[in-house]
Amino acid sequence: MASGQCQVLSRSKWPFFHAVQCLQAQVCISLISNLPPSKSSTGVKGNDTVVFMIKSFRHTGLEKFFKTGSKAGIQPNHAKRLRLQLATLNEAQSPSDMDLAGWWFHELGKDLAGHYAVTVSRIWRLTFAWDGTDAVLLDYQDYHD
């Protein structure tokens, strides 16, 4: 595969996005806007199998955005970055997979010891914990308050 081309890793059922990983250690996402939902119980077309690495949410608006694409529970101007971060986290095998340029990945301390964070915007963070091979307790917060 030539540099800059992407390879589809898997499909998720949330708003018809494909998570793809690029050769240059970047993760990108492409929107398939005209792909109709499948009538299958998995919500994906064909014989694709969906395995979610994200197992639980603390923030209901973030969960709704992940599952349906609804921006009602998040700041709409964060949607593009959150979509990319959630797709990356859903494919991650360990917390360090979120350590991408510009995301300021770091482990948290004090009350959130054992949790990790990436920057969504200047003051907003996507925080999560890790349980085995799964991301858990996802939250969308300004934890500096």
Side-chain angles (χ1 to χ4, degrees):
M1 182 182 310
S3 179
Q5 289 184 333
C6 297
Q7 175 182 5
V8 173
L9 297 178
S10 70
R11 281 190 202 186
S12 69
K13 69 178 182 182
W14 58 283
F16 318 116
F17 293 101
H18 289 219
V20 292
Q21 185 173 16
C22 295
L23 289 177
Q24 298 174 332
Q26 297 175 347
V27 178
C28 61
I29 199 164
S30 63
L31 171 61
I32 309 300
S33 59
N34 294 322
L35 182 65
S38 170
K39 293 182 180 178
S40 72
S41 60
T42 61
V44 294
K45 289 184 68 93
N47 295 325
D48 291 341
T49 300
V50 176
V51 177
F52 291 110
M53 303 312 288
I54 297 174
K55 298 298 181 190
S56 65
F57 289 82
R58 282 187 173 171
H59 192 281
T60 55
L62 185 65
E63 181 175 17
K64 187 174 182 180
F65 176 68
F66 177 70
K67 291 180 176 178
T68 70
S70 170
K71 298 176 192 174
I74 65 164
Q75 292 189 29
N77 59 323
H78 293 167
K80 184 176 180 181
R81 189 165 180 122
L82 276 171
R83 185 177 297 120
L84 179 59
Q85 289 174 332
L86 288 169
T88 304
L89 189 58
N90 196 46
E91 296 292 330
Q93 300 297 309
S94 71
S96 63
D97 290 346
M98 296 297 287
D99 192 6
L100 299 175
W103 286 10
W104 297 281
F105 167 80
H106 58 283
E107 189 168 359
L108 302 175
K110 299 182 183 178
D111 293 343
L112 292 174
H115 290 238
Y116 304 88
V118 291
T119 299
V120 177
S121 74
R122 203 175 94 191
I123 62 171
W124 287 89
R125 303 293 183 268
L126 174 64
T127 62
F128 58 95
W130 206 258
D131 182 20
T133 59
D134 302 320
V136 295
L137 303 174
L138 269 71
D139 208 347
Y140 170 61
Q141 60 185 321
D142 173 7
Y143 66 82
H144 292 106
D145 275 346

